[in-house]
């Protein structure tokens, strides 16, 4: 039980490395091993989460070398719940993507599942590490896996992947420069040790320059306005089965890393802390409005969800900028909820394409008659995005608004209200197409079938539906878990 953190990393990592070789033995053996490894890792993550709730944060040192001389994993309540979320989405994604295997070539199938496993390893590692350079290593594992999965989306996916590769390389370089500045100043890479040294010495200039680099680096990876240029195309043209994992989860982990730097490593005593909060707040408000307005103009459902993600990331960073326990907890509740909201919407859109071959919302006329479960998830996730109870999106925005009221930053409440109205415009347009518009003649791949989709797709859609609702109904319990970490920063 003491080795749960490393087991969570090793299981999907080993299975990912073996996937292609195992696929040579049997075309689906690599796929099945990766899926099983992620499921077992999910069980370990749940156990680790329970241990942390009962006993507090976990410090795990590699090779018996204590920090700051060795590499350390540090897992608090927020990190633990995010690891559970990553592995849960990863597991249902491996089942979901089975329906999009368009080739019998063993290397391609084995390679695709290897990439999914590595993507999960990278995101879990970023969520648990307590070492700033180790964070870079896992960030690169995440990015390289995502580049390849986006490229598997076809010719447009290759172009989108190359664009993301160029911008992502710039982000990685900025991050390394920031780490280099802090390491040259403090002589340590351990997050906790670095914080102690920064607090005991005057490194305001070095901290200011490195924080600018970190905001740009993580802003590109999230993506946060105005660093979002690569995102709409990448989210729209990624490999369909893995798109929910990329769009729903990948962008949230850099947000967690930014929070670690701002509140855990730098701390609120940093001389220019409030200045950086104001900068992030302004960028967040611009992103919320920009993403919502651009989403309103889209006809392709993938582009609607992609631009919506820019706005939703803005809610998370806005919670960071408010600097209130309520707002920080609301930001993380929105982060967790948005994983299932956005993943659910991309699961649903890919399911519609799987059955009817279209991503155009003008073709969605009354598809609820043939796809009631999928349509139900689209409605619930859309209402949650808008902020209508009892879905989780209402409560996360409510906590952020409470934090803004507590700190007398009423301009942020106005932005939250305005953005919810803008969200309502394009999401209700989507709901109108599904339930009211006249149906169009589309080729129905499953015409005559009694079940709207294969069970592996329905499992993913049903899981997102249940969790969006459960996070809203039981938001107080999730809020308390998040506050275990927030109160300690």
């Amino acid at each position: 039980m003491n080795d749960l953190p490393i087991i969570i990393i090793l299981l999907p990592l080993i299975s990912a490395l073996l996937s292609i070789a195992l696929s040579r033995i049997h075309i689906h053996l690599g796929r099945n091993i990766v899926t099983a490894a992620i499921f077992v890792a999910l069980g370990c993550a749940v156990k680790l989460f329970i241990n942390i709730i009962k006993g507090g944060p976990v410090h795990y040192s590699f090779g018996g070398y204590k920090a700051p001389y060795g590499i350390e994993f540090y897992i608090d309540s927020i990190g633990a719940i995010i690891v559970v979320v990553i592995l849960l989405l990863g597991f249902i994604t491996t089942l979901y993507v089975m329906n999009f295997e368009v080739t019998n070539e063993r290397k391609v199938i084995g390679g695709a599942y290897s990439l999914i496993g590595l993507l999960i390893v990278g995101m879990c590692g970023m969520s648990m590490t307590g070492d700033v350079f180790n964070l870079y290593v896992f960030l690169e594992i995440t990015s390289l896996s995502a580049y390849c999965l986006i490229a598997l989306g076809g010719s447009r996916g290759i172009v989108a992947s190359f664009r993301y590769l160029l911008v992502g390389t710039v982000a990685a370089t900025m991050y390394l420069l920031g780490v280099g500045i802090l390491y040259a100043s403090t002589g340590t890479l351990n997050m906790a040790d670095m914080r102690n040294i920064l607090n005991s010495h005057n490194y305001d200039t070095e901290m200011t320059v490195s924080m600018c680099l970190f905001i740009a680096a993580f802003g590109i990876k999230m993506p946060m306005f105005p660093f979002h240029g690569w995102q709409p195309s990448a989210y729209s043209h990624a490999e369909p089965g893995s798109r929910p994992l990329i769009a729903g989860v990948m962008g949230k982990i850099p947000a967690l890393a930014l929070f670690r730097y701002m509140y855990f490593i730098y701390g609120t005593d940093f001389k220019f802390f409030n200045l950086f909060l104001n900068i992030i707040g302004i960028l967040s408000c611009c992103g919320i409005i920009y993403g919502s307005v651009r989403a309103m103009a889209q006809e392709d459902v993938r582009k609607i969800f992609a631009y919506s993600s820019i706005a939703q990331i803005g809610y998370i960073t806005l919670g960071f900028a408010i600097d209130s326990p309520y707002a920080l907890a609301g930001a993380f509740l929105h982060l967790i909820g948005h994983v299932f909201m956005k993943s659910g919407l991309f699961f649903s859109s890919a399911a519609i394409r799987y059955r009817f071959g279209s991503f155009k919302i003008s073709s969605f006329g009354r598809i609820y008659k043939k796809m009631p479960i999928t349509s139900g998830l689209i409605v619930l996730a859309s209402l949650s995005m808008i902020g209508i109870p009892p879905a989780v999106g209402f409560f996360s925005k409510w906590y952020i608004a409470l934090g803004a009221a507590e700190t007398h930053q009423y301009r942020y409440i106005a932005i939250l209200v305005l953005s919810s109205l803008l969200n309502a415009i394009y999401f209700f347009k989507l709901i109108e197409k599904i339930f009211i518009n006249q149906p169009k003649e589309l080729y129905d791949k499953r015409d005559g079938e009694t079940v709207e989709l294969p069970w592996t797709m329905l499992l993913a859609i049903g899981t997102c539906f249940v969790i969006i609702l459960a996070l809203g109904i039981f938001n107080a319990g999730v809020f308390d878990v998040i506050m275990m970490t927030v109160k300690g920063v």
Side-chain angles (χ1 to χ4, degrees):
M1 292 296 102
N2 294 331
D3 294 321
L4 285 175
I6 191 58
I7 292 173
I8 290 169
I9 296 294
L10 285 179
L11 283 174
L13 175 61
I14 293 171
S15 66
L17 296 176
L18 293 176
S19 179
I20 296 178
L22 292 173
S23 296
R24 290 180 175 274
I25 300 173
H26 185 277
I27 189 169
H28 291 147
L29 181 58
R31 177 188 77 181
N32 296 340
I33 293 297
V34 170
T35 303
I38 293 171
F39 181 75
V40 176
L42 173 60
C44 294
V46 171
K47 176 60 179 174
L48 178 63
F49 173 70
I50 294 171
N51 292 347
I52 289 172
I53 296 301
K54 293 179 179 178
V58 169
H59 296 262
Y60 184 86
S61 299
F62 286 82
Y65 296 98
K66 298 293 183 182
Y69 305 105
I71 296 175
E72 178 187 56
F73 273 4
Y74 172 77
I75 311 102
D76 54 24
S77 62
I78 291 176
I81 196 170
I82 289 176
V83 169
V84 172
V85 168
I86 292 168
L87 289 165
L88 176 57
L89 250 298
F91 174 66
I92 61 177
T93 296
T94 55
L95 297 177
Y96 186 88
V97 78
M98 294 176 184
N99 302 281
F100 294 90
E101 295 174 1
V102 295
T103 179
N104 289 324
E105 190 171 345
R106 296 169 185 259
K107 290 187 294 185
V108 174
I109 293 178
Y113 283 90
S114 178
L115 292 171
I116 292 174
L118 290 173
L119 180 63
I120 291 169
V121 168
M123 293 190 294
C124 287
M126 287 181 66
S127 303
M128 294 192 293
T129 187
D131 182 281
V132 294
F133 186 77
N134 202 229
L135 176 63
Y136 166 76
V137 173
F138 285 116
L139 176 66
E140 284 302 280
I141 292 173
T142 302
S143 299
L144 292 171
S145 305
Y147 300 151
C148 296
L149 286 170
I150 293 169
L152 288 176
S155 58
R156 290 188 177 183
I158 292 173
V159 174
S161 176
F162 183 66
R163 183 185 303 168
Y164 181 25
L165 170 64
L166 295 178
V167 179
T169 302
V170 173
T173 303
M174 288 181 172
Y175 178 77
L176 274 183
L177 286 173
V179 169
I181 292 170
L182 293 182
Y183 179 65
S185 302
T186 63
T188 184
L189 294 171
N190 182 265
M191 292 181 181
D193 193 42
M194 185 176 287
R195 174 174 184 167
N196 293 333
I197 296 173
L198 291 175
N199 287 343
S200 60
H201 296 78
N202 183 13
Y203 291 123
D204 289 338
T205 302
E206 293 87 345
M207 294 169 70
T208 301
V209 174
S210 58
M211 178 53 77
C212 292
L213 292 169
F214 291 140
I215 290 175
F218 293 131
I220 290 171
K221 292 294 185 179
M222 278 190 262
M224 181 175 72
F225 180 90
F227 308 105
H228 63 278
W230 62 269
Q231 183 256 32
S233 180
Y235 281 15
S236 300
H237 303 301
E239 193 277 322
S242 59
R243 188 184 298 131
L245 187 62
I246 294 172
V249 187
M250 190 178 71
K252 313 305 183 301
I253 314 305
L256 173 63
L258 179 62
F259 168 79
R260 298 268 193 234
Y261 270 97
M262 289 175 58
Y263 285 93
F264 187 77
I265 297 176
Y266 279 55
T268 56
D269 293 332
F270 172 45
K271 182 178 180 180
F272 300 110
F273 185 77
N274 289 329
L275 172 62
F276 282 110
L277 289 187
N278 289 331
I279 292 172
I280 292 173
I282 292 170
L283 295 179
S284 300
C285 292
C286 293
I288 289 170
I289 301 303
Y290 171 84
S292 300
V293 171
R294 288 300 303 269
M296 291 166 57
Q298 305 304 314
E299 173 67 16
D300 188 316
V301 70
R302 297 170 299 177
K303 289 291 182 71
I304 293 175
F305 298 157
Y307 280 109
S308 171
S309 291
I310 299 171
Q312 301 298 320
I313 287 292
Y315 292 131
I316 297 169
T317 52
L318 183 62
F320 296 167
I322 292 171
D323 187 25
S324 160
Y326 279 111
L328 289 172
F332 280 110
L333 180 61
H334 196 79
L335 185 153
I336 296 165
H338 186 254
V339 167
F340 294 98
M341 290 186 278
K342 189 52 53 78
S343 296
L345 288 172
F346 275 108
F347 278 136
S348 300
S349 63
I352 293 172
R353 173 63 183 268
Y354 172 83
R355 181 160 179 176
F356 294 108
S358 177
F359 281 120
K360 300 294 183 182
I361 61 172
S362 58
S363 303
F364 289 3
R366 299 183 187 175
I367 61 168
Y368 77 94
K369 292 184 176 180
K370 292 188 175 182
M371 303 184 73
I373 299 175
T374 304
S375 301
L377 175 58
I378 292 176
V379 171
L380 179 62
S382 299
L383 295 179
S384 186
M385 293 278 199
I386 295 167
I388 297 176
V392 62
F394 168 80
F395 296 99
S396 59
K397 291 182 182 181
W398 176 255
Y399 290 127
I400 295 172
L402 281 180
E406 183 183 44
T407 55
H408 307 291
Q409 300 181 77
Y410 300 109
R411 62 189 180 279
Y412 292 147
I413 299 177
I415 292 294
L416 287 171
V417 173
L418 175 60
S419 66
S420 292
L421 294 175
L422 295 175
N423 290 344
I425 293 173
Y426 60 85
F427 277 119
F428 279 129
K429 181 175 73 172
L430 175 61
I431 294 172
E432 176 191 8
K433 301 293 184 185
I434 292 174
F435 287 91
I436 299 175
N437 276 26
Q438 291 296 324
K440 287 194 173 184
E441 288 295 329
L442 295 171
Y443 172 71
D444 187 351
K445 180 179 177 181
R446 296 179 64 83
D447 190 29
E449 298 269 356
T450 56
V451 181
E452 64 180 86
L453 293 166
W455 74 267
T456 50
M457 300 180 78
L458 289 177
L459 176 65
I461 291 170
T463 299
C464 291
F465 185 97
V466 170
I467 293 180
I468 292 170
L469 204 55
L471 286 173
I473 295 172
F474 302 106
N475 70 89
V478 181
F479 180 86
D480 290 340
V481 170
I482 294 171
M483 285 297 285
M484 291 173 62
T485 295
V486 169
K487 289 179 179 179
V489 298

